[in-house]
Amino acid sequence: MAEFLDLAAAVEANLRDGDSVAMEGFTHLVPYAAGHEVIRQGRKDLELIRMTPDLLYDQLIGVGAARKLKFSWGGNPGVGSLHRMRDAVENGFPNRIEVEEHSHAAMANAYEAGAANLPFAMFRGYIGADLPKVNPRIRSVTCPFTGEVLAAVPAIRPDVAIIHALRADRAGNVLIEGIVGVQKEAVLAARRSIVTVEEVVEEFGPRSANSVILPAWTVGAIAVVPGGAFPSYAHGYYKRSNAFYRDWDAISRDRDSFAAWVKENILAKDAGTFARYARAA
């Protein structure tokens, strides 16, 4: 059953060096506060899994926390490259990382397979694509009923899933609304999970048609971190900071400016720092 902890305790209890970890959230509800706590605690040798690695994984790679990246697209949305990721891949700085690239469809289906405790995902995809030539984890199976050849990839079963959500109730159930990515599947597929939320409420009240509720028995640790998705956005709470995504391009291009930013904005701060973004909204 879900346990309410402060963020530092939740990360300390659930994430270890060498773990595979999925920090999901599709443009919306990216778990920045939790990722920063991982950096503060000095976790290393992590396999980072994410459908769309963006600034948060650029930060984790830049501090040397990663040994591998499993992903389906990597970049600064609307701006360009992830420069800390490029430095690691091209120059081995601060350490060389292994890269396993997939399509969005493959990642989504692999999470679903993991959530269902299946060994692999099967789907129509990669037709005419070159990724199978460079990724030996992409294979094919033949349908025993129709003879159709389908793409297959291993299920994603992270050691830890970390997501940000809007609300939890006092029983430990969690509500996600707005753009919903693979947060539900990531939590169900993972051995352990950490969920940061904007607030705790007595009951969720009226919900939108696309809302997702994770029952308390599916969740490991819950930490209340207002503003915890900033500079991404939380539907109904605060907007995305497009300015920060633009600014990140210059910050991350240079190793020294990146290190200085991490020291000032992550290492010298704590999860409470994020609350000011929620208040400002």
Side-chain angles (χ1 to χ4, degrees), residues 180-276:
V180 176
V182 292
Q183 293 100 313
K184 175 188 70 176
E185 290 79 5
V187 169
L188 295 178
R191 293 169 177 84
R192 302 180 298 279
S193 60
I194 301 169
V195 180
T196 54
V197 296
E198 291 294 323
E199 61 176 332
V200 176
V201 296
E202 294 297 332
E203 57 182 38
F204 294 135
R207 298 182 292 277
S208 64
N210 75 329
S211 61
V212 172
I213 294 179
L214 290 168
W217 58 266
T218 67
V219 177
I222 297 175
V224 182
V225 187
F230 192 86
S232 75
Y233 73 101
H235 179 71
Y237 287 81
Y238 45 88
K239 296 180 180 180
R240 183 181 189 268
S241 174
N242 293 321
F244 184 82
Y245 281 80
R246 290 193 300 268
D247 292 346
W248 184 252
D249 188 71
I251 293 167
S252 62
R253 277 181 183 272
D254 179 76
R255 294 174 183 177
D256 291 337
S257 64
F258 168 77
W261 185 91
V262 168
K263 182 178 180 180
E264 179 181 354
N265 294 281
I266 299 180
L267 300 181
K269 301 291 174 65
D270 59 30
T273 303
F274 281 81
R276 74 174 187 264

Side-chain angles (χ1 to χ4, degrees), residues 5-266:
L5 299 169
D6 66 57
L7 182 56
V11 172
E12 177 69 30
N14 289 283
L15 185 62
R16 303 157 191 140
D17 289 353
D19 276 350
S20 58
V21 55
M23 302 184 193
E24 285 293 350
F26 191 70
T27 73
H28 172 235
L29 299 175
V30 180
Y32 277 95
H36 287 187
E37 183 59 34
V38 172
I39 292 173
R40 278 191 292 272
Q41 293 193 15
R43 293 295 185 269
K44 300 291 184 185
D45 199 35
L46 301 175
E47 178 184 353
L48 300 178
I49 306 168
R50 182 166 162 76
M51 282 189 64
T52 54
D54 55 10
L55 277 54
L56 178 57
Y57 273 22
D58 207 31
Q59 293 163 9
L60 285 155
I61 291 168
V63 299
R67 62 174 165 82
K68 180 178 178 178
L69 177 65
K70 182 184 292 185
F71 71 111
S72 57
W73 178 88
N76 185 341
V79 179
S81 291
L82 296 176
H83 300 294
R84 294 301 90 221
M85 175 182 167
R86 289 194 64 156
D87 207 4
V89 172
E90 295 176 354
N91 305 309
F93 183 89
N95 59 283
R96 196 165 298 281
I97 61 170
E98 180 185 351
V99 170
E100 182 180 329
E101 185 176 0
H102 290 276
S103 67
H104 281 343
M107 293 284 287
N109 278 278
Y111 273 121
E112 286 195 354
N117 199 24
L118 294 171
F120 68 94
M122 179 177 60
F123 62 103
R124 292 185 177 95
Y126 290 122
I127 299 170
D130 286 334
L131 268 178
K133 298 177 182 178
V134 297
N135 184 350
R137 306 283 281 171
I138 300 169
R139 303 186 187 180
S140 62
V141 294
T142 301
C143 174
F145 303 104
T146 66
E148 182 181 6
V149 177
L150 301 166
V153 293
I156 295 177
R157 296 295 308 275
D159 294 311
V160 186
I162 299 176
I163 66 169
H164 188 75
L166 299 179
R167 297 184 285 281
D169 66 18
R170 299 195 185 282
N173 304 301
V174 171
L175 172 70
I176 305 170
E177 288 185 303
I179 293 178
V180 176
V182 292
Q183 293 100 313
K184 175 188 70 176
E185 290 79 5
V187 169
L188 295 178
R191 293 169 177 84
R192 302 180 298 279
S193 60
I194 301 169
V195 180
T196 54
V197 296
E198 291 294 323
E199 61 176 332
V200 176
V201 296
E202 294 297 332
E203 57 182 38
F204 294 135
R207 298 182 292 277
S208 64
N210 75 329
S211 61
V212 172
I213 294 179
L214 290 168
W217 58 266
T218 67
V219 177
I222 297 175
V224 182
V225 187
F230 192 86
S232 75
Y233 73 101
H235 179 71
Y237 287 81
Y238 45 88
K239 296 180 180 180
R240 183 181 189 268
S241 174
N242 293 321
F244 184 82
Y245 281 80
R246 290 193 300 268
D247 292 346
W248 184 252
D249 188 71
I251 293 167
S252 62
R253 277 181 183 272
D254 179 76
R255 294 174 183 177
D256 291 337
S257 64
F258 168 77
W261 185 91
V262 168
K263 182 178 180 180
E264 179 181 354
N265 294 281
I266 299 180

